[in-house]
Amino acid sequence: MAPNVIFYILVYIVAPTPRDILQSETTYKHIEDDGSVSPAKPLPSWKSTLDQRKKTARAKGDLSDSNNGIEAADVFMSIVVPAFNEENRLGLMLGEAVQYLQKEYGQVRSGPTVNGGLKHRHKGAPEQPNGHLGAGNRGAQKEPTGWEILIVSDGSKDETVDTALEFARSLGTESAGLIRVTSLVENRGKGGAVTHGMRHVRGKYVLFADADGASKFDDLGKLVREIKKIEDKNGRGVAVGSRAHLVASEEVVKRSFLRNLLMYSFHLLLWILTPPATAAIRDTQCGFKLFSRPTLPYIIPYMHSESWIFDVEMLMLAESASIPVTEVAIGWHEVQGSKLNVLWDSIGMAWGLFILRAAWAMGVYQRT
């Protein structure tokens, strides 16, 4: 048997395959107007709609990219927050996020319609100085307004879900319903939680943000401005929040020799193993990335990695689909409570990167 065949078989065996989604994981809870927790409700899914349309097209022999269109957005900004045992850090992050979202994008008081869309009741607000739209008369504007947060509890064993719902309740009836919580039965990993959440977003723009609040949420405006500059004719684009400018900062310099060595070693592996545009990104791992809605069908359906290395797969998929990507410097600070084991997770990321690259290069993973 030829060596390349043996290698293909080995990669095929060890390459990760996401588990099937359970029925309960396609539901969410939120706070009702009377302050109670809602029963489980079905999560609207643009991906399910897209899958059905592509299935119908394939039956007719149509395999073109014209079937990659995604249904229109209901709100301007969606935030996906992966959370695994984050009862102690989630509240602070949500507080910073909601304060910014309300200021910049206003509110769309909403409830699901039969098709999973939103019923709108807007509160008037002027256009913001940075070019963002407040929540005014939707009929007079070219894009939707408002925001939503989808928290994905990744098999949490603590009070993460209760913490999220209690925070939503504290916002009162005008905003409580804009925060939805869905729970994965078993831990999938950060990548699996992010991918799951992004299948169900309703925003024109979609940010995934870490639950620790390490990234400065006010810098979301910078990502929005920069992504609008690079979007292609189909509206596709990705803005990557970056901490690369902080490498020489005192906070990073004072880290342990081992941690900095592993950081630089990982960057070297990225440069060697990933295609050119992905390799040019100086910080692939920052948990603060913004996607335009038309980008999602070219990335989310083809995700395989559910571990720490999932960011790289997203960027590789964007590159393979010729989607413009920009890197944007953001504010960031170290937050206690990280679940990352520097040594073992670094080894796991290196292994995951190697398998990921091999699986895509050899055709184990395909855009089918």
Side-chain angles (χ1 to χ4, degrees), residues 5-282:
V5 175
I6 296 175
F7 184 63
Y8 177 91
I9 293 173
L10 290 175
V11 171
Y12 182 87
I13 292 172
V14 299
T17 301
R19 66 168 172 82
D20 292 337
I21 299 171
L22 303 177
Q23 182 62 38
S24 66
E25 296 173 337
T26 62
T27 65
Y28 74 99
K29 293 182 179 181
H30 70 104
I31 298 300
E32 302 277 19
D33 285 348
D34 63 2
S36 64
V37 177
S38 73
K41 299 180 179 181
L43 274 169
S45 172
W46 62 263
K47 185 178 179 298
S48 295
T49 303
L50 177 66
D51 287 345
Q52 185 57 50
R53 187 168 68 247
K54 293 175 84 168
K55 180 179 179 181
T56 301
R58 282 196 298 269
K60 298 177 180 178
D62 181 3
L63 303 178
S64 68
D65 273 354
S66 63
N67 298 305
N68 264 345
I70 188 172
E71 59 201 40
D74 287 306
V75 295
F76 183 78
M77 183 63 65
S78 292
I79 311 296
V80 174
V81 183
F84 173 60
N85 293 343
E86 290 288 359
E87 64 177 359
N88 294 322
R89 303 192 296 179
L90 183 60
L92 290 174
M93 179 270 173
L94 290 176
E96 183 181 350
V98 169
Q99 182 179 27
Y100 178 82
L101 293 168
Q102 288 180 332
K103 178 183 68 173
E104 295 297 333
Y105 307 124
Q107 292 184 156
V108 178
R109 183 73 178 101
S110 61
T113 62
V114 174
N115 63 2
L118 297 178
K119 299 178 290 187
H120 300 275
R121 186 175 82 221
H122 300 271
K123 302 188 73 174
E127 183 173 343
Q128 301 295 328
N130 61 7
H132 299 158
L133 293 175
N137 182 346
R138 182 169 183 172
Q141 297 178 1
K142 296 180 180 179
E143 58 188 0
T145 61
W147 55 272
E148 65 172 354
I149 296 177
L150 178 58
I151 298 161
V152 183
S153 176
D154 189 18
S156 297
K157 303 301 182 185
D158 66 355
E159 302 302 316
T160 293
V161 171
D162 290 340
T163 298
L165 291 171
E166 188 57 37
F167 174 86
R169 182 182 286 113
S170 73
L171 298 177
T173 56
E174 284 298 322
S175 296
L178 303 180
I179 296 179
R180 299 179 297 163
V181 182
T182 185
S183 299
L184 303 181
V185 176
E186 297 177 357
N187 178 264
R188 299 189 74 131
K190 179 182 173 183
V194 169
T195 300
H196 182 78
M198 293 180 80
R199 295 187 184 106
H200 301 283
V201 291
R202 299 171 291 184
K204 178 176 180 180
Y205 290 100
V206 180
L207 176 83
F208 79 75
D210 286 348
D212 61 6
S215 300
K216 182 182 177 184
F217 209 90
D218 284 6
D219 284 340
L220 173 57
K222 294 170 63 176
L223 269 64
V224 173
R225 290 194 297 273
E226 295 305 315
I227 200 173
K228 286 184 174 181
K229 293 177 182 177
I230 58 128
E231 287 173 350
D232 64 16
K233 64 180 181 180
N234 296 314
R236 304 181 307 165
V238 180
V240 177
S242 175
R243 305 158 297 182
H245 62 294
L246 299 173
V247 168
S249 68
E250 182 179 4
E251 189 172 20
V252 174
V253 170
K254 286 186 175 181
R255 286 176 174 175
S256 69
F257 171 77
L258 175 61
R259 185 165 184 174
N260 281 328
L261 174 64
L262 291 171
M263 177 183 71
Y264 287 114
S265 299
F266 181 71
H267 289 168
L268 178 62
L269 278 176
L270 280 172
W271 184 75
I272 294 172
L273 293 177
T274 59
T278 302
I281 300 296
R282 294 178 298 166

Side-chain angles (χ1 to χ4, degrees), residues 301-322:
Y302 309 108
M303 287 292 297
H304 295 82
S305 177
E306 298 193 318
S307 65
W308 298 102
I309 205 67
F310 80 99
D311 305 72
V312 176
E313 185 170 28
M314 284 184 162
L315 295 172
M316 287 171 53
L317 286 166
E319 180 174 358
S320 70
S322 301

